[in-house]
């Protein structure tokens, strides 16, 4: 009887859930709807502005700028996978979602995150060729190579996101139908699952460790050689441009990887951290890249900034004109 009873309880699995993000806020939740809506509109608008600039200006139809535009397009998709449902949860305390909807959201979250990582690798390769092998840049960084890198990025992202979703779909969710999170993250779903979840936890941790270790090893090696090669460039203008461009890429890399690492550590190690703090770290991890990347690339990348200024103001700042005349010789020596 007890055994049969246990089996029947175990077989009870919820097929719909209630997302309850930031449960400690209570009455203050509706007050966040307006600023979060403004944040979402700003993320979409800022990323779209830089993408439009790259697409509209023929001088920016180069691999580095194309990769930047792709990265920002992924930022829009990532924020759209999270923000609308998150806003709905702030309007209504309990935010209903089906299991299929939850799995779909989880897939797009991890697929876009992995695309971010892969595009950063592609950008590192582009800068490595441009700075370490400038004379062969146009021969190596062709549209065919860009297509291959895009195929690799999509395939690798699917190779991580799909197993996580499939494994989660096979779990039994019998503890509760309430997910104390504003989105369907892998760990949040596992927290309400029952049965032996050892394999699920190990797989999720192993995928993160392998992905981050592999990516950071390649990125570290690439940018070490890039910076070393940049200091050997004889032209001061070209050297400054190379280091400035690498600085922008490194800022983005630090933003994405450090926010993701801190979130993972808190979820898995700091069990005493409140649910609201965990939700906040997840929000930073998921939304900060989309908010900062267009600012980093739109402001720090001079060519993109100049075209945006022309488009918005109809004129070019005198300071940029002087910089352009001073660095034109150096820019000719450095591709991209």
């Amino acid at each position: 009887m007890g055994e049969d009873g246990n089996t029947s309880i175990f077989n009870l699995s919820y097929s719909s859930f209630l997302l309850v993000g930031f449960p400690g806020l209570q009455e203050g939740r509706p007050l966040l709807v307006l600023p979060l809506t403004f944040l979402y509109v700003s993320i979409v608008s800022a990323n779209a502005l830089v993408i439009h600039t790259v697409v509209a200006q023929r001088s920016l139809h180069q691999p580095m700028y194309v990769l930047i535009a792709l990265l920002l397009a992924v930022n829009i998709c990532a924020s759209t996978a999270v923000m609308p449902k998150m806003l709905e949860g702030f309007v209504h305390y309990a935010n209903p979602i089906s299991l299929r909807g939850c799995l779909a959201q989880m897939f797009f979250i991890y697929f876009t995150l992995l695309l971010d990582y892969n595009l950063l690798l592609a950008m590192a390769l582009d800068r490595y060729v441009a700075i370490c092998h400038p004379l062969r840049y146009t021969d190596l960084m062709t549209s065919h190579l860009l297509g291959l890198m895009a195929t690799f990025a999509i395939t690798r992202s699917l190779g991580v996101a799909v197993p996580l979703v499939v494994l989660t779909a096979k779990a039994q969710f019998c503890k509760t139908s309430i997910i104390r999170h504003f989105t369907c993250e892998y760990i949040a779903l596992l927290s309400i699952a029952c049965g032996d979840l050892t394999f699920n936890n190990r797989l999720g941790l192993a995928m993160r460790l392998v992905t981050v270790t592999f990516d950071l090893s390649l990125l570290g090696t690439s940018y070490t050689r890039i910076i070393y090669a940049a200091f050997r460039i004889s032209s001061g203008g070209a050297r400054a441009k190379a280091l400035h461009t690498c600085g922008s890429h490194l800022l983005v890399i630090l933003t994405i990887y450090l926010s993701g690492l801190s979130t993972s550590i808190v979820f898995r190690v700091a069990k005493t951290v409140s649910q609201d703090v965990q939700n906040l770290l997840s929000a930073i991890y998921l939304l900060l890249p989309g908010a900062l990347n267009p600012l980093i690339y739109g402001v720090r990348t001079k060519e993109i900034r100049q075209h945006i200024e022309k488009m918005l103001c109809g004129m070019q700042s005198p300071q940029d004109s002087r910089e352009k005349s001073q660095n034109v010789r150096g820019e000719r020596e450095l591709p991209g």
Side-chain angles (χ1 to χ4, degrees):
M1 179 72 175
E3 185 175 345
D4 293 337
N6 289 337
T7 303
S8 63
I9 292 174
F10 182 78
N11 287 335
L12 172 65
S13 183
Y14 292 101
S15 59
S16 60
F17 308 98
L18 295 176
L19 290 171
V20 183
F22 300 95
L25 292 179
Q26 299 293 337
E27 293 82 5
R29 296 164 63 85
L31 300 177
L32 294 175
V33 173
L34 189 59
L36 286 175
T37 302
F38 177 76
L39 174 63
Y40 177 55
V41 173
S42 299
I43 289 175
V44 174
S45 302
N47 284 277
L49 176 62
V50 178
I51 293 171
H52 171 74
T53 303
V54 173
V55 172
Q57 302 297 327
R58 293 184 62 85
S59 61
L60 299 180
H61 292 180
Q62 301 176 37
M64 184 182 79
Y65 305 116
V66 172
L67 290 171
I68 290 175
L70 289 175
L71 181 69
L72 300 188
V74 172
N75 290 162
I76 294 177
C77 295
S79 60
T80 302
V82 174
M83 286 295 286
K85 200 64 181 172
M86 181 181 180
L87 288 170
E88 185 180 342
F90 278 98
V91 175
H92 311 287
Y93 180 75
N95 188 7
I97 188 171
S98 66
L99 176 59
R100 288 185 177 181
C102 208
L103 293 174
Q105 186 184 52
M106 189 177 79
F107 168 77
F108 282 109
I109 287 173
Y110 289 102
F111 178 70
T112 52
L113 285 176
L114 265 295
L115 272 182
D116 264 351
Y117 295 164
N118 294 325
L119 286 172
L120 290 176
L121 287 177
M123 294 165 78
L125 174 62
D126 172 76
R127 289 300 84 197
Y128 172 78
V129 176
I131 296 172
C132 298
H133 304 283
L135 299 179
R136 302 182 59 195
Y137 181 80
T138 54
D139 295 328
L140 294 175
M141 295 303 298
T142 61
S143 57
H144 177 68
L145 180 59
L146 284 177
L148 290 177
M149 289 193 295
T151 302
F152 170 78
I154 293 173
T155 303
R156 185 168 177 250
S157 301
L158 289 173
V160 174
V162 171
L164 289 178
V165 172
V166 171
L167 199 62
T168 306
K170 294 181 178 180
Q172 298 287 320
F173 303 101
C174 57
K175 289 183 179 179
T176 178
S177 62
I178 297 176
I179 302 174
R180 295 187 176 276
H181 206 288
F182 60 86
T183 189
C184 292
E185 278 201 289
Y186 183 68
I187 300 177
L189 272 173
L190 289 187
S191 67
I192 63 170
C194 48
D196 185 8
L197 301 174
T198 304
F199 179 73
N200 302 60
N201 287 316
R202 288 179 177 175
L203 177 66
L205 181 60
M207 283 189 167
R208 177 173 288 275
L209 288 176
V210 170
T211 300
V212 172
T213 303
F214 176 77
D215 289 2
L216 289 181
S217 298
L218 289 181
L219 290 171
T221 302
S222 299
Y223 281 105
T224 299
R225 299 192 65 177
I226 288 170
I227 293 173
Y228 176 74
F231 278 110
R232 297 180 62 187
I233 297 175
S234 58
S235 170
R239 186 191 311 116
K241 181 184 178 183
L243 294 174
H244 188 79
T245 302
C246 290
S248 299
H249 294 325
L250 289 173
L251 276 176
V252 173
I253 290 170
L254 289 174
T255 300
I256 292 177
Y257 282 94
L258 287 181
S259 60
L261 182 62
S262 61
T263 304
S264 181
I265 291 174
V266 168
F267 267 120
R268 298 180 186 277
V269 178
K271 302 296 184 182
T272 58
V273 175
S274 70
Q275 193 64 49
D276 287 343
V277 172
Q278 293 183 17
N279 278 207
L280 178 61
L281 289 174
S282 290
I284 293 173
Y285 172 45
L286 295 172
L287 302 176
L288 186 63
L292 289 184
N293 287 355
L295 296 178
I296 293 173
Y297 288 120
V299 174
R300 288 182 57 87
T301 307
K302 188 177 70 174
E303 294 78 6
I304 294 178
R305 185 183 73 242
Q306 287 177 341
H307 285 297
I308 291 177
E309 288 175 350
K310 288 180 183 179
M311 185 166 51
L312 296 180
C313 304
M315 62 177 63
Q316 187 177 9
S317 67
Q319 181 180 356
D320 286 338
S321 299
R322 289 194 298 269
E323 290 178 358
K324 184 175 181 180
S325 61
Q326 292 171 359
N327 295 334
V328 64
R329 180 179 176 183
E331 291 176 1
R332 288 174 180 172
E333 296 180 11
L334 183 64

